[in-house]
Amino acid sequence: MIDVIIGGAILGAIFSLIAVGLNLQYGVTRILNVAHGEFLMLGAYVTNIFFSYYGLNPLISLVMSGPVVFILGILIQALIFRKIVSISKSAEELEFRSLLACFGLLFVIQNMVRAVFGAMPISNTYLTEAIFIFGERFQINMIASAIMSVAISIVLYLLLCSTKIGLALRAVVEEPIGAQLVGVNVQKIHSLSFGLSVLLAAIAGTMVSMIYTNINPYIGPQYTFIALAIIVLGGLGSFIGSLAGGFIIGYIYYLTLKIEPLMVMAIIYLFLIVFLISRPRGLFGR
């Protein structure tokens, strides 16, 4: 029981970080980025470059790999999605066109990484020593990843609640036309939200690559689907919902992993379907 409680909380913290970024970006731009997991994978590979070639601590390499992926996200938003937003005449048209673009982006990133690094799995295993918590053995890298994920989520929450940038982000989520009327540069906010989203995904990729040894160019969709399940479970546009949903899915994932690893995603989606029948708007949805 102790193993499930702590292990599920560790996975929940990491999953929440992935989902918070996607939820923020979708709430601001209404672009459902199904390539979100590919940026997690990119974060793992950029970290691997610094770790394998320069021997840099993965946690310290975030100082360099994070800005790289953040700038990449802003460029992608400016080159691809800004044009789609400008030519779309309705929210439905925007979502349809951007969804197709994101599917294309998914395959482009996957194949570019495969062409450069090959298909062989990589890992950035670090802090693999174990400690005992209430008699159960846990690797230090799992504990460090969970603590880092929670800390970053708290920083993001404070950013959204206590700064002018956070106020602008929330204003665009609530009422984009009204925000524009009072002087908010919606285009810049769209770029910022997309950059923050992929930055959080890349940081989560570093955490995942420290723990698991099977990182390859095709791991992205699994984490995208987990993030989508968390967002729908917690409620679209809800920061607290992403955190709560992340921990719920984390516990389901960890418990199923202990019982039948091949059934993890099936059990998650079965739970989501049953949950939505009784509460279609999610835990904190409006």
Side-chain angles (χ1 to χ4, degrees), residues 46-69:
V46 173
T47 301
N48 183 257
I49 292 173
F50 290 113
F51 183 64
S52 299
Y53 293 96
Y54 303 104
L56 194 61
N57 179 331
L59 295 176
I60 295 177
S61 72
L62 286 173
V63 177
M64 288 174 282
S65 61
V68 169
V69 180

Side-chain angles (χ1 to χ4, degrees), residues 84 151 161 172 220 243 269:
I84 292 175
C161 294
V172 174
L243 295 181
Y269 273 89

